[in-house]
Amino acid sequence: MYETPTSNEMFDVDHKLTDVCKRLLQQQSFTTQNKLRQALVELGYEGISQSTVSRLLTHLGVVKVQNACGKKAYCLTSENSPVRVDSSISSQIEMITNNQSLVVVKTHPGSAQLIARLIDIDPHADILATIGGNDTILVVPKHVKDVDRCERVVRARLGAL
């Protein structure tokens, strides 16, 4: 006889599924929700639907960005998860420079807002503001006289030393 799971049991299953999904996204690149769903099925989550995967991605704050191979892939960017800057992010950066008043980061088209968000996640004393467009990020230093130090902070955060 089948018993309906309690709300605590359902919470434990949902929490574990969320953790497994987050771990998969940190370890692998998924270009479609179906590929992520298949990976979850292979880990024993039978019967998981595409709509469940969609809800998980929304809950985790996942966005699609261009990966190192030029394909759009899901990327975990939620503030409550560790930010890991790796080759797929740094490969989106074309140039970092400054004009003695602002730091300018040029990216591949469509990457600037995500990369700007990575700079903003953990506030730094040398950064006053970050503005991300389509392929350009402007980083405003707290003090213009410290623009070189601000550029070094940005480079360190993006793994572009």
Side-chain angles (χ1 to χ4, degrees):
M1 180 171 154
Y2 177 76
E3 291 185 29
T4 305
T6 66
S7 61
N8 283 344
E9 291 171 329
M10 291 299 291
F11 175 79
D12 289 343
V13 169
D14 288 346
H15 187 69
K16 186 174 181 182
L17 179 59
T18 301
D19 287 345
V20 168
C21 185
K22 184 188 297 186
R23 201 166 40 254
L24 281 171
L25 289 165
Q26 289 171 334
Q27 296 170 352
Q28 297 177 44
S29 180
F30 295 95
T31 55
T32 67
Q33 290 182 7
N34 193 48
K35 288 180 181 178
L36 178 57
R37 187 190 68 75
Q38 288 171 342
L40 289 166
V41 168
E42 289 172 11
L43 290 174
Y45 291 91
E46 297 292 330
I48 189 166
S49 67
Q50 181 274 329
S51 60
T52 299
V53 171
S54 179
R55 282 191 298 276
L56 277 168
L57 295 175
T58 300
H59 175 74
L60 290 170
V62 172
V63 295
K64 253 190 163 178
V65 297
Q66 194 172 22
N67 66 16
C69 299
K71 294 183 178 183
K72 293 278 188 172
Y74 290 101
C75 181
L76 189 62
T77 62
S78 179
E79 281 86 352
N80 60 8
S81 66
V83 176
R84 297 176 39 201
V85 178
D86 58 18
S87 62
S88 65
I89 293 297
S90 60
S91 70
Q92 297 305 302
I93 299 167
E94 294 178 1
M95 173 185 72
I96 301 175
T97 190
N98 76 69
N99 68 353
Q100 296 304 307
S101 58
L102 297 172
V103 176
V104 177
V105 181
K106 292 294 286 178
T107 71
H108 293 304
S111 299
Q113 288 187 9
L114 171 66
I115 294 172
R117 187 68 197 120
L118 292 174
I119 296 169
D120 282 342
I121 283 176
D122 184 20
H124 192 279
D126 289 328
I127 298 174
L128 180 64
T130 305
I131 304 165
N134 180 49
D135 62 358
T136 305
I137 302 164
L138 298 178
V139 182
V140 182
K142 188 96 152 204
H143 302 285
V144 174
K145 65 181 175 55
D146 296 327
V147 71
D148 290 327
R149 186 170 61 205
C150 183
E151 181 180 337
R152 286 191 299 275
V153 168
V154 170
R155 286 179 178 279
R157 289 205 169 177
L158 300 178
L161 298 173

